[in-house]
Amino acid sequence: MAVSGSLPRSAGPPGEARVFSVHWALFLAVLLSLLVLLPGSVLAQPATPNDEVRLRIGDILTLSLPGEPALNGEFPVDRRGRVVLPEVGAVDVAGRTLPEANTIIRNALARAYRNISPLAVTLKERRLFITVLGYVAKPGEVDLPADSTVQEAISAAGGLIQGAQLDKFQVRRGNRVIVFDYKRYLDTGDPRILPTLQPLDTIFIPSSPATGNVLVPFDSRTLSEQGDGTDNPNAIKVFGEVNRPGSFAYKDGMSVVDMIMRAGGVTRYASIDRIRVIEGGEPKVFNMRGFLDTGDTSLLPRIQPGATIFVPKEEEEIRRSIRTVYVIGEVNRPGAFEAPPDSRLIEILANAGGPTRYADTTRIRILKADGGTENFNLSRFSETGVGTLPEILPGDAVYVPEKIESADRPSWLKIAPQRAVEVIGAVTRPGRYEWSDEMSLLDLIGEAGGPTQRGDLAHLQIVRARGDGRAITLDLATFLSEGGSISDLPKIQAGDVVRIPELPSSPIDNKGNWVTLPKEDVIYIMGQVSIPGRYAFNKNMTFLDILTAANGPTQSADLRNVRISHRGLSGSKVTQVNLAQYFATGDETLLPKVRNGDVIFVPDRQNKDWFEDPKENTVRVLGSVAKPGRYRFVNDMTLLDLLAEAGGPTADAYQQKIVVVNLGCCREQARLFNLVEFARTGDITKLPVVQAGDTVYIPNASQSDWKVFTDAMQNILPIIALIAAFGG
């Protein structure tokens, strides 16, 4: 035992100090001897219960070292069996007793800490790390107390869910798998059935084979519908035309009828007179109808464990019995039906679903089993009640024929889509017509009664049922007017749709229904026309036709500058038309050629911007005029025309010196014109020549020479009068 510190020193002389040191050494020796001789001394303390317990994964150790806050707290044993210490790292302690773990921890800490003698290591709590998988509400890892059971682990995972197989729970511990019957534990409460859990165990809850391979709601109803003998090799299998096919547990004394009832009974389509029962690899046929009619229990076949019962479908076979009646023709469910000897026609037809809408109920035939034939008018009987319903005997056949339709208009429902062509639009009888390859387009239009008066044959459309489905436009009007070969017309195929569009009744109606016109068949007219818009157009129409359809130009229209934008051509092309010149001369060559898609624009003559006209085509009028500005000018106009267009000179205009600036090709020059003198003489030769690009300026009267002189004299006269007054 190491004792730190130094011996006390005496303040006396050196001799006394040596004597005191000897006495102190003797005292310590005696004290050590007493400690060794005392039984159960502090150096040999009795072992605690935790000293014999070996540490496991999940245990929680408590460390305490005064003066070191990092080593005062709880340290759990992780999944690898280690505790992680500050400044040291992970230390393996799993599988060690507490004293052994104490020594290992001290040795590890001694490398980083100077004084660890006060260190205390205790076991605070033992825990279980368990993983619960399978049919539980919340599968995953759970942290439990050390003495927890399987039931507590399952409860911590949210409990079992429907579909868990209770008799084959598993506890997986490394490579070892422990299978136990949890259902027996729930029945008996015997805790010995449950295995003791250890850290890192995995509890797996399997699913019941009754759930199948698809996740479905698993409850008592589902179990009853699927049967209760899934895993039992002695179970009876019932399938076919039953309401709840499945495997059912075998019980002594049960018959075929009992097993079919457990399967929910037969469906409406079951053939109960040919039920098959397979036992020991040998099939037997059971006529349940005969058993139900007679009640003879000897007809019931014997059922053995593991047998198979199959109920076939009635439609899968042609039934023949002493009570079979056959119904064929236009009924909803033709077939063979069982009928008592006193059956009537109405009962038999009701079992067959009744006649269809194509049935001719005036000519129903009953084919007798003896070879005879009987006719019956059901329509007349239902309307008048006169007559007697024929009796149907076993072996008879009831035939309900199809309606005989008129030759001129068969029902379109009778024509299959692969043999019909649809004609829609402006025809007399639009509809669906039977088609043959030797027919032509004209045959089809003739069958539909031909186009109406408003039918637009110039834009007939054909939508192909085969290929890319694009519409083909045909000018049938030109073909009919000019003639041609029938073989040049498009070939019509079954499934095609032929549409004849309708012409608009008026230009206003045309404008209102512009959305019905394809862009390839229209022309646009905008600007100063009475009804601008989008109009139907074809190659037989002219520029004047489309202008007339828009109710002509307005009063403010600039007829000299009508423009046509030609669309659909390479690049951009605009044609300018002087419509006023055409009206003056009647020259047809001045009218442009227009086509579908073109845009006609008629500008406004009054409300137009000055920069719309190029400077080479205008004359500037400035100064004292009513409306100074830029004016379009042509060579046959004079200065008087230009002044009149500008509203004439104002009252303060100096008309004796109107300036005309000519911008010629060689040099610029300005000339004066006296409008007052011209008005007195009327000499036309005095008018200066004005050309496009020139400038006309009308000065103000304040700029005249006389006005300048009079203004100067008004300033001089007061000075002269003042001089005269002083001189006098």
Side-chain angles (χ1 to χ4, degrees):
M1 179 176 181
V3 179
S4 61
S6 61
L7 294 176
R9 296 184 178 181
S10 174
E16 294 181 0
R18 285 194 299 269
V19 173
F20 181 78
S21 299
V22 172
H23 291 168
W24 180 251
L26 292 175
F27 173 75
L28 292 178
V30 173
L31 180 61
L32 290 175
S33 299
L34 291 175
L35 292 176
V36 172
L37 294 176
L38 286 175
S41 65
V42 294
L43 297 178
Q45 295 180 357
T48 61
N50 287 337
D51 293 345
E52 302 300 328
V53 175
R54 295 191 177 275
L55 300 180
R56 304 185 307 183
I57 295 171
D59 290 349
I60 300 176
L61 299 179
T62 301
L63 273 65
S64 175
L65 182 61
E68 295 293 340
L71 288 175
N72 288 274
E74 298 178 356
F75 295 86
V77 181
D78 61 14
R79 285 182 167 275
R80 297 185 179 182
R82 307 176 304 178
V83 291
V84 181
L85 302 176
E87 304 294 337
V88 173
V91 177
D92 293 327
V93 296
R96 310 281 186 175
T97 64
L98 187 60
E100 293 174 348
N102 188 0
T103 302
I104 294 174
I105 293 173
R106 284 177 176 272
N107 294 336
L109 292 176
R111 297 193 298 268
Y113 294 88
R114 178 173 300 177
N115 185 14
I116 60 170
S117 57
L119 176 69
V121 180
T122 58
L123 176 61
K124 178 183 180 181
E125 185 181 2
R126 313 204 73 185
R127 305 292 296 178
L128 280 175
F129 291 159
I130 303 296
T131 302
V132 184
L133 303 177
Y135 265 56
V136 290
K138 296 183 292 185
E141 187 179 82
V142 295
D143 186 5
L144 303 172
D147 57 349
S148 299
T149 63
V150 172
Q151 187 172 13
E152 291 172 329
I154 294 174
S155 177
L160 301 174
I161 62 175
Q162 294 180 354
Q165 186 173 2
L166 303 181
D167 59 343
K168 291 185 179 181
F169 280 18
Q170 300 177 12
V171 173
R172 298 177 180 177
R173 186 173 300 152
N175 296 328
R176 183 184 176 190
V177 178
I178 304 173
V179 180
F180 61 97
D181 191 348
Y182 188 69
K183 176 66 167 57
R184 190 157 64 93
Y185 164 74
L186 296 178
D187 293 339
T188 62
D190 187 0
R192 295 175 298 177
I193 299 175
L194 302 180
T196 302
L197 297 177
Q198 296 183 8
L200 301 184
D201 282 354
T202 298
I203 302 175
F204 177 71
I205 314 300
S207 65
S208 172
T211 61
N213 294 327
V214 180
L215 184 62
V216 296
F218 194 83
D219 50 18
S220 59
R221 178 180 178 183
T222 305
L223 286 175
S224 64
E225 290 180 354
Q226 294 181 348
D228 55 359
T230 303
D231 295 334
N232 191 348
N234 295 329
I236 306 298
K237 303 174 183 61
V238 184
F239 64 101
E241 288 300 321
V242 292
N243 289 304
R244 292 193 301 272
S247 296
F248 302 92
Y250 171 77
K251 295 182 181 179
D252 293 334
M254 298 190 70
S255 64
V256 176
V257 177
D258 296 331
M259 298 308 300
I260 292 177
M261 291 302 297
R262 293 197 63 187
V266 298
T267 66
R268 58 181 296 187
Y269 305 108
S271 178
I272 60 175
D273 54 356
R274 291 186 176 273
I275 298 175
R276 294 173 176 82
V277 181
I278 302 175
E279 294 178 329
E282 181 180 354
K284 300 178 182 178
V285 178
F286 169 55
N287 188 349
M288 190 168 69
R289 190 186 305 277
F291 167 73
L292 296 176
D293 291 342
T294 62
D296 187 0
T297 57
S298 63
L299 298 177
L300 293 173
R302 186 177 179 181
I303 299 297
Q304 298 292 337
T308 300
I309 300 174
F310 172 68
V311 181
K313 192 175 183 179
E314 185 178 8
E315 284 77 7
E316 294 178 353
E317 56 188 26
I318 300 176
R319 301 187 311 167
R320 291 188 62 184
S321 67
I322 59 174
R323 296 182 179 178
T324 303
V325 173
Y326 307 94
V327 182
I328 56 178
E330 289 297 328
V331 291
N332 288 295
R333 292 192 304 272
F337 301 91
E338 293 295 325
D342 57 348
S343 297
R344 298 291 179 179
L345 178 63
I346 295 296
E347 301 169 356
I348 301 300
L349 290 178
N351 288 335
T356 66
R357 58 177 175 174
Y358 308 117
D360 185 1
T361 56
T362 63
R363 299 183 298 113
I364 296 178
R365 298 187 184 93
I366 295 92
L367 309 178
K368 294 295 186 178
D370 56 4
T373 303
E374 182 179 351
N375 296 330
F376 181 71
N377 189 337
L378 181 61
S379 298
R380 183 174 59 185
F381 176 81
S382 62
E383 293 173 359
T384 63
V386 178
T388 304
L389 289 172
E391 182 180 0
I392 307 299
L393 300 176
D396 291 351
V398 178
Y399 171 62
V400 181
E402 187 180 12
K403 288 181 180 179
I404 298 178
E405 305 202 11
S406 59
D408 58 338
R409 191 70 182 209
S411 173
W412 67 275
L413 292 174
K414 300 289 185 63
I415 305 173
Q418 61 269 20
R419 295 191 296 110
V421 174
E422 296 184 25
V423 182
I424 59 178
V427 292
T428 304
R429 293 191 303 272
R432 193 165 176 267
Y433 293 89
E434 190 171 5
W435 179 257
S436 179
D437 291 337
E438 63 268 12
M439 298 173 65
S440 67
L441 176 62
L442 297 180
D443 295 330
L444 181 65
I445 296 176
E447 183 71 11
T452 62
Q453 292 182 352
R454 296 179 59 186
D456 187 5
L457 293 179
H459 297 92
L460 185 142
Q461 296 174 344
I462 302 172
V463 180
R464 295 293 190 188
R466 306 172 190 173
D468 57 2
R470 294 183 179 178
I472 301 174
T473 302
L474 173 66
D475 188 355
L476 188 60
T478 302
F479 178 83
L480 295 176
S481 60
E482 299 178 0
S485 176
I486 300 296
S487 59
D488 295 337
L489 295 175
K491 299 296 183 183
I492 304 298
Q493 300 175 351
D496 290 351
V497 178
V498 177
R499 174 181 176 267
I500 298 179
E502 190 175 27
L503 290 172
S505 58
S506 66
I508 297 177
D509 186 38
N510 182 355
K511 180 178 183 297
N513 297 327
W514 68 272
V515 293
T516 63
L517 303 174
K519 63 181 181 179
E520 297 83 7
D521 302 333
V522 299
I523 196 168
Y524 305 85
I525 182 164
M526 306 175 184
Q528 295 303 311
V529 291
S530 298
I531 311 177
R534 187 171 181 262
Y535 290 85
F537 193 78
N538 57 48
K539 63 182 181 180
N540 297 324
M541 300 174 68
T542 64
F543 172 77
L544 291 181
D545 294 329
I546 194 65
L547 191 64
T548 305
N551 281 5
T554 63
Q555 293 182 355
S556 62
D558 188 0
L559 300 181
R560 299 179 181 274
N561 295 288
V562 178
R563 299 183 184 91
I564 296 95
S565 298
H566 302 283
R567 303 171 64 196
L569 301 178
S570 57
S572 60
K573 183 179 180 181
V574 178
T575 302
Q576 187 169 351
V577 181
N578 189 342
L579 194 59
Q581 187 177 358
Y582 167 75
F583 291 143
T585 62
D587 187 1
E588 293 287 340
T589 59
L590 297 176
L591 297 178
K593 298 292 184 182
V594 291
R595 44 182 274 174
N596 292 342
D598 288 354
V599 179
I600 301 173
F601 177 69
V602 181
D604 191 350
R605 175 173 48 85
Q606 297 178 355
N607 301 315
K608 65 178 180 178
D609 295 330
W610 63 270
F611 53 80
E612 289 185 357
D613 296 327
K615 62 181 182 178
E616 294 80 6
N617 298 333
T618 61
V619 172
R620 306 169 188 86
V621 181
L622 308 175
S624 298
V625 290
K627 295 184 294 182
R630 297 170 79 242
Y631 291 91
R632 179 173 289 274
F633 191 81
V634 294
N635 293 331
D636 56 352
M637 294 176 64
T638 65
L639 178 60
L640 299 178
D641 298 326
L642 191 60
L643 292 176
E645 185 72 13
T650 60
D652 58 349
Y654 185 37
Q655 304 180 24
Q656 287 85 352
K657 287 188 178 182
I658 297 176
V659 182
V660 179
V661 180
N662 297 118
L663 301 177
C665 62
C666 301
R667 63 185 181 87
E668 300 177 358
Q669 59 180 352
R671 291 180 293 170
L672 298 177
F673 171 64
N674 191 337
L675 182 59
V676 177
E677 183 180 353
F678 173 78
R680 288 197 302 264
T681 62
D683 187 0
I684 197 67
T685 60
K686 300 295 184 179
L687 286 175
V689 176
V690 181
Q691 297 179 351
D694 292 351
T695 300
V696 178
Y697 176 68
I698 296 90
N700 193 278
S702 60
Q703 299 171 329
S704 65
D705 296 339
W706 176 252
K707 179 65 174 177
V708 173
F709 173 75
T710 55
D711 290 342
M713 290 302 297
Q714 289 177 359
N715 296 329
I716 294 173
L717 287 176
I719 297 174
I720 295 175
L722 183 61
I723 294 173
F726 283 107

